């Protein structure tokens, strides 16, 4: 459990702390997929850009006819492997995008549930008055907004 969550005062019970920890772990999972998807997307665009530049400079600028350009392109097996590599990169981006969207949905669903059920987590009036300290800590330390349901 995160030290910041463990240090919460007596106004926050253990079940609430575990829910807060689960929320933090879901946020980190979402951030991890977001970062990985962005890196793969960047490397895919870089690889594709370099390959298109290669095609432009070494095939198109030779000034041959279109039939000779296609023959040159398809006669070299390395071109097939580069196209397959770019295809695998696109597939990985698509997979990570799916995983990122799924993790984002799980994170936001749990966050919205916590906002809706905050009166269950802090049922006593004295605890209810102190919940803003927990909300501020979650916003400051983990960038998780528990004040409103919307993003």
């Amino acid at each position: 459990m995160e030290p910041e969550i463990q240090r919460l005062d007596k106004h926050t019970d253990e079940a609430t702390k575990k829910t807060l920890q689960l929320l933090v772990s879901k946020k980190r999972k979402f951030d991890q997929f977001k970062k990985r998807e962005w890196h793969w997307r960047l490397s895919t665009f870089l690889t594709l850009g370099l390959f298109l530049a290669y095609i432009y400079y070494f095939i198109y600028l030779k000034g041959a006819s279109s039939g000779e350009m296609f023959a040159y392109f398809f006669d070299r097996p390395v071109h097939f492997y580069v196209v397959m590599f770019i295809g695998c990169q696109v597939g990985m981006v698509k997979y990570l995008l799916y995983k990122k969207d799924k993790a984002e949905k799980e994170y936001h669903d749990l966050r919205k549930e916590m906002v809706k059920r905050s009166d269950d987590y802090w049922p006593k009036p004295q605890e209810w008055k102190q919940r803003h300290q927990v909300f501020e800590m979650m916003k400051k330390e983990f960038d998780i907004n528990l004040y409103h349901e919307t993003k």
Side-chain angles (χ1 to χ4, degrees):
M1 189 174 290
E2 297 293 322
E4 292 86 1
I5 294 175
Q6 284 180 342
R7 285 192 293 254
L8 291 174
D9 59 2
K10 63 185 182 285
H11 300 295
T12 306
D13 64 347
E14 285 301 313
T16 305
K17 289 179 183 179
K18 289 191 186 287
T19 306
L20 291 170
Q21 179 61 41
L22 182 63
L23 189 62
V24 168
S25 62
K26 288 193 182 290
K27 167 85 167 146
R28 286 191 176 145
K29 182 179 176 182
F30 165 63
D31 289 341
Q32 178 187 18
F33 278 121
K34 187 176 173 182
K35 185 177 179 182
R36 286 179 62 199
E37 186 260 338
W38 188 84
H39 285 290
W40 273 94
R41 190 177 292 243
L42 184 65
S43 71
T44 302
F45 285 136
L46 181 66
T47 306
L48 182 63
L50 289 173
F51 187 59
L52 290 176
Y54 164 79
I55 289 172
Y56 179 74
Y57 286 113
F58 293 105
I59 297 175
Y60 180 74
L61 287 183
K62 288 198 173 195
S65 68
S66 61
E68 290 173 347
M69 284 191 280
F70 281 116
Y72 179 81
F73 183 81
F74 288 113
D75 284 344
R76 306 295 185 272
V78 71
H79 297 154
F80 172 74
Y81 293 118
V82 171
V83 169
M84 291 300 295
F85 179 69
I86 292 171
C88 289
Q89 285 182 315
V90 169
M92 187 65 175
V93 167
K94 191 159 178 70
Y95 171 74
L96 288 173
L97 188 62
Y98 165 76
K99 294 294 275 184
K100 180 189 80 159
D101 290 344
K102 183 179 175 188
E104 182 180 22
K105 183 181 179 329
E106 290 175 0
Y107 161 66
H108 284 299
D109 287 348
L110 182 60
R111 189 183 63 78
K112 288 176 185 178
E113 179 184 342
M114 185 138 197
V115 170
K116 282 182 185 177
R117 296 185 51 208
S118 62
D119 54 341
D120 294 339
Y121 290 115
W122 294 278
K124 298 176 185 171
Q126 184 181 6
E127 294 173 349
W128 180 257
K129 292 177 183 175
Q130 300 299 320
R131 80 185 191 290
H132 73 279
Q133 295 172 350
V134 175
F135 290 2
E136 287 175 9
M137 183 273 302
M138 292 297 284
K139 180 68 176 166
K140 179 182 164 197
E141 297 294 327
F142 305 110
D143 195 29
I144 298 174
N145 183 2
L146 295 175
Y147 289 107
H148 305 285
E149 285 185 38
T150 58
K151 294 182 185 178

